[in-house]
Amino acid sequence: MTTYEFLRLLTFPIMPVHLQTVRKDIKRLVARSKHPNHLSLLDVGGRKSPYTIGVPARVTVLDVPQEAGTKKELNLGFTATLLETLKKKRSNIDNLVIQDMTKSELKDASYDAVVCVEVIEHVEADDKFVENIAKVIRKGGWAYFTTPNGDFIKNDGPGKNPDHVRHYTKVELQRLLEKYFDDVDVHYAVRTGRYRVLGLKSYSLRNPVKSIHSIYSNLVNSIQSRGVEYDSQGTAHLIAIGYK
């Protein structure tokens, strides 16, 4: 375990609720697998992903190359610097792939599972994206997705995310995944509101009061977010699991 991983593991309980939720879900899914310690997991769009840190799996991180324009402005995609940094920080990464999943060259049935956290809303060709993800998963495997909750959070107006192509409703995401997976579970997650927003603010040793406020907000939001799986309004994310 690297120093970076150790510190991240220590701080996970006070991190934003979305991060905590995703990590718990992934750990649960991995633990339920037949051979969790040998599970091969593809993290799509995970060039800075903390979600699979410490997970007992062989992780391949895949992301698109960083290009000029919106991707560069928002620090999206792989760069040579990010690749080198990631190799040093993470101990459970088997491989790093610079590739567009909509044009995947990966072999069919080459992974036991795929994790795709807050990525699909960025993808124009979402149908091909999901189809290619399903293709690389072995029979009995699963894919885990999260994305903004389009039943409540609309991507328009002055607050529009320039890199988001769409925000799915629960029904839209369910229908898309059901085209390529045998069984699909889609539900809502993370209560929105003041405490969620405050909890997203970064921590700083130079501003301990602000950091304590953020930590407290995340603890409150964690309690608020219990039992919201069926709440289409007032929730920030959709979580979807597709099983093959």
Side-chain angles (χ1 to χ4, degrees), residues 188-206:
Y188 303 100
V190 187
R191 180 65 67 194
T192 56
R194 175 171 177 265
Y195 289 108
R196 173 182 173 271
V197 173
L198 290 173
L200 292 173
K201 298 184 181 299
S202 59
Y203 303 151
S204 171
L205 293 175
R206 296 179 180 178

Side-chain angles (χ1 to χ4, degrees), residues 120-126 147-148 155 164-168 172:
I120 194 171
E121 66 273 10
H122 299 270
V123 181
E124 187 72 46
D126 59 338
T147 191
N155 195 37
H164 288 195
V165 177
R166 71 189 69 74
H167 285 184
Y168 298 87
E172 289 170 342

Side-chain angles (χ1 to χ4, degrees), residues 54-67:
V55 172
R58 295 179 288 107
V59 180
T60 294
V61 178
L62 178 148
D63 211 330
V64 295
Q66 190 176 97
E67 301 166 349

Side-chain angles (χ1 to χ4, degrees), residues 168-184:
Y168 298 87
T169 66
K170 179 181 177 181
V171 170
E172 289 170 342
L173 188 57
Q174 181 94 25
R175 286 175 177 168
L176 174 60
L177 297 185
E178 283 179 343
K179 293 171 65 175
Y180 302 105
F181 291 92
D182 297 331
D183 186 24
V184 175

Side-chain angles (χ1 to χ4, degrees), residues 219-231:
L219 294 173
V220 173
N221 191 224
S222 179
I223 296 171
Q224 292 178 326
S225 297
R226 294 173 183 171
V228 300
E229 292 82 0
Y230 301 102
D231 293 353

